[in-house]
Amino acid sequence: MKAAAPLLPSRTFDQLLPPGVIYAPRTTVEHVGWVLSEAYRLDTLTGLTLLVTGSVLLACHQNTVTPDIVAFFEACGATPSPHRVPYQTAEQAFDQMRRWAEQGHLIVSPYPLPADSCAPQSLLVPDALYRWLNDKSNLGALVDADWLPPAVMLTPDAAQNLLTAFAGEPVYIKACVAGASGAGIDVRYAPDHQTRLQALEWLAGHDQPFSGVRVERALDIPICWCLNLSIQSDRIEYLGAAIQLFASPGQQSGSLIDPAQEPPAFAVEEAMRIARRAQQMGYRGLAGFDLGLTAEARPFIFDLNFRMVSSTVQLLLHQSAVERIGAHVSESWHRLIHGPLAPALAAIEPLGRSGRFVPCRLWEANPESRGRSMITGFLVAESVEALALTRDAMVSALGPLLV
């Protein structure tokens, strides 16, 4: 089958980040305790930006750029960045970071890095600023009150008061973290007293600390987006928005990009105002702001992520992906695979060559992942309804290989 036309990102990291930086996303589980808990996933994440880093040097695990993986990307019309430095172990990754820092490079990471991985002055964003901006305890300092849902803030030692805040109403209970959080791992939906008790137990039993508890009234929000931005010293760029898909209240399961369902212009303007506040504080890099509309079109902002988010790569590749096959919409797709990647890649290669599936992150199984491989990317179709056909085709092609 003839491959689709080459896939070209609308923007690359060398256009969205300051010159001379190095993208080194490997950190430790302790530093992303409210994002994931399995150490091998930290290595898989280093391959997520291979198609969008441009000339920015990327540190990535060798299992994200095996010969089979590179060949599959190319068969799908995508070219992984040649400006990559593979590593095998976390120690190798941190050693390389230290060498780059000693050479005067600035290091960029979507998550906090261990203190001994590089000198503090070698971070593009100071650790303290990163942690403050990403802490939900500080939403009120960045977002005007009219844009925030009704909420009660509790200190960690007063977390038990979540049992009575907005008594009798459904609420979202959010662990405020001075650092990274995401995908709803720091959120619990509590429609009744029993689920509030369970949320209190969840907070008390979590290994990682939290800076506070935000109890938000659960509003009826039919649609939510993540608005992506690039914040540089001399400009701020709005990169687009992805609709957030949820497996259950507060638990995000994916992203949909549909030009027929874009956030209103006034919401984008507010996101730009928030970004300017962070810019004035010294933040440089990517950001993703979560915003929803009520049925009456009243906007609310739920979270601010000052880092690359799960929809960033899809947004940067979406326009090229839809144009090359005459489509309109894209939807994220992610699954674990039993065993090595080769059989799975062979099974879905026709979908990749046709442009109906775009790979973003591929992971070759190793002992740390317990013999499981990973496929992350997005589906492309003419309409939201037609996405179901491609979803079914992916599942049918992979069959028993799916975990």
Side-chain angles (χ1 to χ4, degrees), residues 213-278:
V213 181
R214 184 177 177 87
V215 184
E216 285 184 359
R217 179 179 288 145
L219 304 175
D220 182 16
I221 303 290
I223 188 167
C224 291
W225 294 269
C226 183
L227 281 64
N228 279 241
L229 305 100
S230 166
I231 302 171
Q232 301 193 47
S233 60
D234 58 344
R235 64 189 183 279
I236 298 171
E237 295 183 54
Y238 172 61
L239 304 176
I243 297 169
Q244 295 180 314
L245 306 175
F246 294 90
S248 60
Q251 305 299 304
Q252 188 179 354
S253 59
S255 300
L256 169 71
I257 301 176
D258 180 359
Q261 301 183 80
E262 293 285 348
F266 64 83
V268 176
E269 292 171 4
E270 181 62 20
M272 295 289 281
R273 280 193 288 271
I274 296 169
R276 280 194 289 273
R277 291 173 183 170

Side-chain angles (χ1 to χ4, degrees), residues 8 17 21 45 51 70 72 74 81 103 142 151 178 184 208 242 257 277 292 298 300 344 350:
L8 301 172
L17 297 172
V21 300
L45 288 171
L51 303 184
V70 172
F72 183 77
E74 293 173 346
S81 170
Q103 294 166 8
L142 292 163
Q208 302 295 322
I257 301 176
R277 291 173 183 170
R298 181 174 175 185
F300 287 99

Side-chain angles (χ1 to χ4, degrees), residues 158-234:
Q160 70 276 2
N161 290 336
L162 65 82
L163 296 174
T164 55
F166 301 111
E169 299 183 59
V171 294
Y172 287 105
I173 296 166
K174 301 182 176 182
C176 300
V177 183
S181 61
I185 292 174
D186 57 334
V187 178
R188 288 294 183 273
Y189 175 59
D192 53 36
H193 185 72
Q194 182 60 35
T195 47
R196 290 187 188 226
L197 285 171
Q198 292 168 356
L200 191 58
E201 293 175 1
W202 159 68
L203 287 169
H206 204 285
D207 292 336
Q208 302 295 322
F210 55 94
S211 58
V213 181
R214 184 177 177 87
V215 184
E216 285 184 359
R217 179 179 288 145
L219 304 175
D220 182 16
I221 303 290
I223 188 167
C224 291
W225 294 269
C226 183
L227 281 64
N228 279 241
L229 305 100
S230 166
I231 302 171
Q232 301 193 47
S233 60
D234 58 344

Side-chain angles (χ1 to χ4, degrees), residues 290-351:
D290 297 344
L291 176 143
L293 289 183
T294 65
E296 297 74 34
R298 181 174 175 185
F300 287 99
I301 290 173
F302 300 99
D303 196 12
L304 303 176
N305 297 290
F306 288 91
R307 57 178 175 81
M308 190 196 84
V309 294
S310 60
S311 60
T312 303
V313 175
Q314 183 182 349
L315 273 166
L316 295 176
L317 295 171
H318 170 83
Q319 197 60 36
S320 177
V322 297
E323 286 180 353
R324 66 182 185 156
I325 66 169
H328 298 284
V329 301
S330 68
E331 182 180 279
S332 59
W333 196 91
H334 169 81
R335 295 296 290 268
L336 290 173
I337 304 295
H338 289 293
L341 266 178
L345 298 184
I348 62 172
E349 186 170 321
L351 290 160

